[in-house]
Amino acid sequence: MGALFLSGCNLDTRMSTFVTKGPVAETQYDLFMLTVWVTLGIFIVVGGAFAFAIIKFRERPNDDRPMPSQGHGNPLVEIGLIGASILLLVIIAVPTLQGIWYTHDTPADPESYMGAWYSGEELAEEEAENPLIVKVIGYQWWWAFEYPQLGITTANEMVIPAGKVVHLELRSFDVIHSFWLPRIAGKVDLIPGRTNSMWIQAGDNFLRWKEKQGVAGPEEESPALRADYAAYLEEEIHNYYYGQCAEYCGDSHARMLFRTTVVGNEEFAEWVIDERTGHSTPDGKTWNDWYAAYADDPASLTGDLNEGLKLFMGRAKCATCHVVKGNPRALGVAGPNLTNVGSRMSIAAGWLNHRIEEDGSIDLDKQYDNFYKWIKETDVVKPGNRMWKAGGGGIGELIDENGEPALLTEDEVHKLSLYLQSLK
Ligand code: CUA
């Protein structure tokens, strides 16, 4: 019945709050539906009485009926209505308060403790009984995602493990933003000068999943049941989710999107290692050798990727604002961390996409076009952004030695695009 209702209304979209994945969104959905039913009931009763009165007591031609008796001030009706209102408010208020508490406090779920599932190395001992923590920082108009326990930072595409509680700390660099990942949880504001928190969980934990299956008794912990649960995480939860800033925050608020990739435990550990390792030089030199060549004889560094990297470090000034892990001189923090940006399914805070929906792979031509477009006309893709104009430091403000405007040429944009695409 529920499925029929949903398919009939086509609510199964990428950012639908009706297709919940995990306990937080589900709690919010249940509360929403309770409110819908209560208010629908009020609408039917009040609207019905209204329609009845309009029809029954409408004026007719040559109507000489006396004025109907007036109920105003009837104590029974007045107290009855007040009582009914209070009752309805309580019916909504109690689950609302429960829901607020439930979604506010990150639950202590032993299966979600880092020690229970994280298979990567170098985890501080005291983290074994903590859930994964992600610090979310809102900027005009992009997102930084820091993983303090793992020592990595990424941007615009967050990666989290399926079925595990993740604690989020939400802060803003500039103005108020709002974190909204419709299918999994929402929304909590990111406010300058304070830290808000919330928790998310993509999919149910084993216990909750088991309860929904109606499983109890001796079979509670069988390997077969665990396998079914693993299959549920793999099939239903392992996916790519769409998020959006949900608080107006300036010119490009509508283009401040983000993505969340939900993966299995091992895939998560691999991702962390990949993020930590970062990138080497295009031609396999050590970074020291590369920089020595860059200083002494830049022309000796040939090939499109080397040309791209030289632009990245030099004329285009990308490294002033962007980190690329591995590269010892790409340390800027004003813009998104670009480590493995070539592995992301979108750029420009989710605005330019190159994911092939059918199989979740990257459309490389589209990806190249997106990088090209973004570097070439950053101001068109995202009006008002600081990569284009930044008090003289943006790529829309590049000048030559005579102080004349000298935007990146098409060839330079091409080489930078190739270099960025190679960061994977
Ligand atoms: Cu950030 Cu709207």
Side-chain angles (χ1 to χ4, degrees):
M1 177 62 205
L4 197 68
F5 174 72
L6 291 181
S7 62
C9 299
N10 192 21
L11 296 172
D12 185 11
T13 57
R14 288 173 190 150
M15 293 180 67
S16 174
T17 50
F18 291 87
V19 184
T20 55
K21 301 288 180 188
V24 178
E26 201 176 291
T27 305
Q28 291 166 340
Y29 170 80
D30 289 346
L31 193 55
F32 171 75
M33 288 313 292
L34 174 76
T35 313
V36 166
W37 292 124
V38 168
T39 48
L40 190 67
I42 294 172
F43 175 74
I44 289 171
V45 170
V46 174
F50 187 50
F52 172 79
I54 287 177
I55 293 164
K56 173 147 195 203
F57 300 110
R58 72 186 186 281
E59 190 173 10
R60 300 183 174 101
N62 307 319
D63 199 345
D64 54 1
R65 289 177 299 172
M67 177 73 88
S69 78
Q70 300 294 298
H72 183 75
N74 181 326
L76 209 63
V77 173
E78 302 266 313
I79 291 170
L81 285 177
I82 291 170
S85 307
I86 291 173
L87 182 70
L88 292 173
L89 282 178
V90 169
I91 289 173
I92 292 177
V94 170
T96 300
L97 289 172
Q98 283 174 335
I100 289 172
W101 278 311
Y102 178 69
T103 55
H104 182 266
D105 296 333
T106 303
D109 170 24
E111 296 217 355
S112 291
Y113 292 160
M114 293 286 280
W117 63 270
Y118 182 63
S119 54
E121 288 168 4
E122 296 174 54
L123 189 64
E125 220 172 276
E126 65 271 19
E127 298 295 351
E129 292 193 4
N130 284 333
L132 178 67
I133 296 170
V134 181
K135 292 186 175 180
V136 181
I137 304 150
Y139 291 76
Q140 287 172 313
W141 294 274
W142 59 280
W143 306 80
F145 299 111
E146 296 177 11
Y147 295 69
Q149 297 146 309
L150 306 170
I152 57 174
T153 299
T154 189
N156 299 322
E157 297 207 354
M158 179 170 67
V159 178
I160 57 170
K164 305 292 183 285
V165 171
V166 179
H167 177 83
L168 301 184
E169 289 177 10
L170 309 158
R171 291 180 292 143
S172 170
F173 178 77
D174 35 46
V175 301
I176 300 177
H177 304 276
S178 185
F179 181 94
W180 188 36
L181 192 53
R183 287 191 162 186
I184 294 172
K187 313 159 178 169
V188 175
D189 280 4
L190 294 80
I191 297 172
R194 69 168 275 152
T195 302
N196 280 344
S197 67
M198 68 187 289
W199 62 281
I200 58 177
Q201 189 173 7
D204 295 324
N205 65 6
F206 183 57
L207 203 67
R208 192 177 165 94
W209 173 83
K210 216 164 57 173
E211 274 170 18
K212 284 189 193 162
Q213 306 294 308
V215 180
E219 278 192 349
E220 271 184 354
E221 264 296 345
S222 74
L225 204 57
R226 280 279 173 185
D228 284 352
Y229 173 65
Y232 149 78
L233 288 183
E234 183 59 31
E235 284 159 26
E236 273 190 54
I237 308 303
H238 187 291
N239 211 333
Y240 187 67
Y241 295 88
Y242 289 67
Q244 162 84 51
C245 175
E247 178 74 46
Y248 180 69
C249 56
D251 300 26
S252 286
H253 153 71
R255 299 175 183 195
M256 185 174 168
L257 319 176
F258 65 100
R259 306 288 182 236
T260 301
T261 307
V262 179
V263 298
N265 299 345
E266 276 158 36
E267 216 178 322
F268 182 83
E270 283 164 20
W271 174 75
V272 171
I273 289 169
D274 210 25
E275 290 290 309
R276 273 194 202 159
T277 312
H279 304 280
S280 48
T281 61
D283 48 16
K285 284 189 173 69
T286 65
W287 280 104
N288 279 344
D289 289 350
W290 193 92
Y291 277 113
Y294 181 58
D296 297 340
D297 181 16
S300 70
L301 298 166
T302 55
D304 285 345
L305 297 185
N306 267 328
E307 297 291 343
L309 178 54
K310 283 192 278 184
L311 287 163
F312 190 91
M313 300 309 302
R315 178 160 133 74
K317 298 186 284 190
C318 310
T320 321
C321 296
H322 298 283
V323 168
V324 174
K325 201 82 181 259
N327 183 337
R329 296 193 197 172
L331 301 170
V333 292
N337 187 309
L338 296 182
T339 310
N340 287 320
V341 69
S343 301
R344 295 182 201 153
M345 303 286 166
S346 66
I347 60 165
W351 186 244
L352 301 175
N353 293 280
H354 31 262
R355 182 177 191 264
I356 299 172
E357 290 298 329
E358 289 74 40
D359 62 2
S361 66
I362 293 178
D363 180 338
L364 293 172
D365 293 337
K366 189 80 193 293
Q367 185 188 38
Y368 170 84
D369 290 347
N370 285 343
F371 274 122
Y372 189 95
K373 184 177 179 155
W374 171 241
I375 299 166
K376 182 80 186 162
E377 44 182 29
T378 310
D379 57 328
V380 176
V381 177
K382 203 173 272 192
N385 85 84
R386 286 176 189 141
M387 180 162 139
W388 190 252
K389 276 208 160 90
I395 59 166
E397 300 164 301
L398 293 175
I399 47 173
D400 62 19
E401 55 274 23
N402 304 319
E404 296 298 319
L407 297 185
L408 295 172
T409 64
E410 292 192 353
D411 184 55
E412 287 172 328
V413 175
H414 165 70
K415 283 164 181 163
L416 268 172
S417 302
L418 289 179
Y419 178 66
L420 290 172
Q421 202 173 15
S422 79
L423 296 178
K424 56 175 126 191

